Amino acid sequence: MTWRPTVAFMRAAVAAVVLIAIAVVWRRPDLLVLAAPMAVVTVWSLLTKPTGDLSIEEGLTHPTIREGDATRWRGTLSGNEHLDLVVASMGDAPWFDRRPASGVAVSQATNGRATVEVEVRSTRWGVRRLEPVWVTATTPFGAFRWSTTTARHPLTTHPVPTVFDTDAWARPSDGLIGLHRSARPGEGNEFAGIRSFRMGDRMRRINWVRSQRAGELQVNATFADLDTHVALVIDASDDFGVSEGFEGLSSSLDASVRAAGAIAEHYAPRGERVSLRTFGSERPHIVPPATGRAQVRRILDTLAGVRPSSEWRTGVPAHDPRGVVGQQLTVMLSPLIAPDALDSAVSLGRHGVPVIVIDTLPDHITADEDAYTALAWRIRLLERRQELRMVQAAGIPVVRWRGPGSLDQVIRDISRRAAGPRAVVR
C-alpha cells in the first residue's frame, strides 16, 4: 500500500485556501489569522510527505495454546521516520474473546517504529483461524495514512483435560516391564543380538570385546520394554448437545476429547504406552502407541483437529483386532447413539481384548424447547438403555465419565479376570 492523504488533510487544505481567498478579496485580516494554522499544517505535511513503504512484521506470539489461555497478535511497523500513530483492528470470531473487547488497539510510534498488540483468548478446543487484522498507520496531524490487511493466522487450541486419576492397574506387572516380550527392537533390558554400530546408538550399548574382534564398533541390540498399552478410541460420528466452551455446558464430543486427553496425561508420562484412533470423523486420526510427554503433545494436537463428519457413515470399524500387540486396554469414548461403537466394542471383546466403554452423552440432551424433540430424545434414550444392557450382558463394561475414580472399579474387575484362568482353543 502507498501513502494516501486523509480526509482531515484535504479538509484543512481546502479550508485554508478558501479562507485565504476570502480574506484577500474582502480584505479580512481576521480570516487570515484563522487560516494561518491550517495553512502551516498543510504546507508542513506536504514537505514531510513520506515516500517509502512501511515494513510490517506480524504474527501470533503462541500459535498453540490451551482452552482458557490467551495469546497475542503482535504487529511491528518500521521503515519511515515520519510514522506517528498505528491502529490495529481485529474482527470478531466464534470461540475467541478479544482484549480490548472492541478488538481495536492503538500505539504511538517512537523513532519511526511502533508495536501494536491485540490479546486473543480461546474458549474452546480446535484448530481455527483468526480474522484478518486491519492495520493503519498515520503521519503527524493525521495528514497521510498507510493501511494493509494481514492474513488469517491458524490458532491451535488444545483441550483442557478433565481431572482424572486412578490407582488401579489394568493387569498385574512383574517389575518395570510386562510379561510379554516386545515384537519390535528398541530401548530395553532384554538382549536381542549384536549388530554394527549406527548413528544414535548409546555408548553404553557398545560391546567392546566383540568390537575388538570384528575391527569395528559392535553394539548389543535389545527388545523394547513394553507395559500396558492404553488404546483410546473416539467416536466422532456426531456431536450431541450444546457446547458453551470450557466454562459452560459440554457437548458429547467435548466430553470425549477432554476425557481422552485426561487419560493420556495420566498414563503416558508414567511410562505406559498410549495410542489414539478416531472413527466417524471427517478424516481418520491415528496416533501410534508411545510414552512420555511428547506423546501427550501428539495426542492433544490430534484431538484439537477432530471434526464430526458431514456425511452419515455406518459400518466403520473402530479398531482392527489383528493389530493388537501384547497386553492392551481399549478405552472407547462415545455418546452411544449410533450402533457402530457398541458393535466394535463387542467385536473387540470377543477377540479377548479388554474394553471399557465410556458414555459421554451429556445430561442436558433432553432439555429442548421443542416438546416433540424432547419426546423423541426420551424415546431414543429408552432404546439406548436396552442396547447398553445387551452390551453389558456380553461382558463389556459401560460407565459414565465422572473424572477421578471413574475407571477404578472397572479396571480392577478387568485385572482380576485377566489374572484368573480362561478357556482357550487348542
Side-chain angles (χ1 to χ4, degrees):
M1 297 292 294
T2 58
W3 292 92
R4 296 181 178 180
T6 62
V7 176
F9 172 78
M10 299 300 297
R11 183 169 56 242
V14 172
V17 171
V18 171
L19 288 176
I20 291 174
I22 294 175
V24 172
V25 173
W26 297 95
R27 298 179 181 180
R28 294 282 304 274
D30 55 328
L31 295 181
L32 286 177
V33 175
L34 294 176
M38 291 182 285
V40 171
V41 170
T42 301
V43 174
W44 185 86
S45 299
L46 289 174
L47 293 177
T48 60
K49 177 183 177 181
T51 56
D53 197 8
L54 286 176
S55 63
I56 179 172
E57 298 178 359
E58 53 89 21
L60 296 176
T61 55
H62 297 90
T64 302
I65 59 176
R66 284 200 173 190
E67 290 178 301
D69 292 344
T71 184
R72 284 186 176 88
W73 175 88
R74 178 179 297 166
T76 301
L77 280 75
S78 60
N80 197 297
E81 61 181 1
H82 299 295
L83 180 63
D84 180 57
L85 195 68
V86 176
V87 179
S89 176
M90 177 184 292
D92 194 11
W95 306 115
F96 289 123
D97 293 337
R98 301 166 300 174
R99 185 178 297 176
S102 62
V104 179
V106 182
S107 177
Q108 188 74 33
T110 303
N111 298 325
R113 185 181 180 90
T115 299
V116 62
E117 295 181 347
V118 177
E119 186 173 335
V120 181
R121 179 172 174 263
S122 180
T123 59
R124 189 173 187 258
W125 59 272
V127 180
R128 289 177 289 271
R129 291 182 177 271
L130 296 176
E131 290 299 313
V133 181
W134 185 60
V135 182
T136 300
T138 62
T139 58
F141 298 104
F144 296 90
R145 71 174 185 178
W146 176 94
S147 60
T148 186
T149 302
T150 66
R152 300 182 65 187
H153 295 283
L155 178 61
T156 301
T157 305
H158 286 171
V160 173
T162 56
V163 179
F164 173 71
D165 192 13
T166 179
D167 56 359
W169 293 90
R171 63 184 179 86
S173 177
D174 293 345
L176 297 178
I177 62 174
L179 298 173
H180 300 272
R181 192 189 70 187
S182 171
R184 58 183 175 85
E187 283 294 324
N189 298 314
E190 189 168 354
F191 180 76
I194 298 176
R195 58 171 175 81
S196 300
F197 180 85
R198 292 197 295 261
M199 186 64 66
D201 288 334
R202 303 194 179 198
M203 295 292 292
R204 61 186 180 86
R205 295 292 185 189
I206 297 178
N207 190 321
W208 296 105
V209 176
R210 187 64 176 267
S211 300
Q212 185 177 10
R213 294 176 182 175
E216 61 178 359
L217 288 179
Q218 302 286 317
V219 296
N220 296 326
T222 58
F223 289 106
D225 289 345
L226 300 180
D227 208 344
T228 302
H229 172 199
V230 180
L232 301 175
V233 181
I234 295 181
D235 177 7
S237 56
D238 208 337
D239 192 11
F240 299 98
V242 179
S243 179
E244 297 179 347
F246 78 105
E247 292 179 336
L249 296 176
S250 298
S251 64
S252 61
L253 194 57
D254 288 343
S256 298
V257 166
R258 291 165 184 158
I263 296 173
E265 280 202 337
H266 175 77
Y267 283 109
R270 290 169 169 80
E272 307 289 350
R273 293 175 298 133
V274 181
S275 64
L276 175 68
R277 180 185 295 264
T278 66
F279 69 98
S281 54
E282 287 185 350
R283 60 185 182 88
H285 300 273
I286 299 176
V287 179
T291 63
R293 290 290 178 183
Q295 179 69 354
V296 176
R297 177 62 182 266
R298 283 190 290 268
I299 290 177
L300 292 179
D301 283 336
T302 304
L303 291 174
V306 175
R307 291 288 182 275
S309 176
S310 58
E311 300 179 357
W312 181 259
R313 301 180 182 180
T314 58
V316 181
H319 193 75
D320 185 1
R322 294 171 297 178
V324 177
V325 178
Q327 296 292 329
Q328 173 175 309
L329 173 64
T330 300
V331 179
M332 182 177 296
L333 302 103
S334 171
L336 304 176
I337 297 298
D340 296 336
L342 294 176
D343 294 344
S344 300
V346 173
S347 176
L348 283 174
R350 289 174 178 172
H351 284 80
V353 180
V355 182
I356 300 175
V357 179
I358 297 179
D359 181 8
T360 59
L361 189 68
D363 296 330
H364 65 268
I365 194 67
T366 57
D368 198 285
E369 296 179 356
D370 187 359
Y372 292 102
T373 302
L375 177 60
W377 269 115
R378 287 196 292 270
I379 295 174
R380 178 65 187 98
L381 292 181
L382 290 175
E383 298 174 348
R384 177 176 174 267
R385 189 180 303 173
Q386 179 63 25
E387 296 171 356
L388 295 184
R389 289 198 193 100
M390 296 173 61
V391 172
Q392 291 173 340
I396 306 298
V398 180
V399 297
R400 292 285 296 177
W401 179 256
R402 302 298 183 189
S406 298
L407 308 181
D408 280 3
Q409 187 58 45
V410 178
I411 293 178
R412 290 192 185 99
D413 293 341
I414 292 176
S415 178
R416 282 194 294 267
R417 277 187 305 189
R422 64 174 62 182
V424 296
V425 180
R426 295 187 180 274

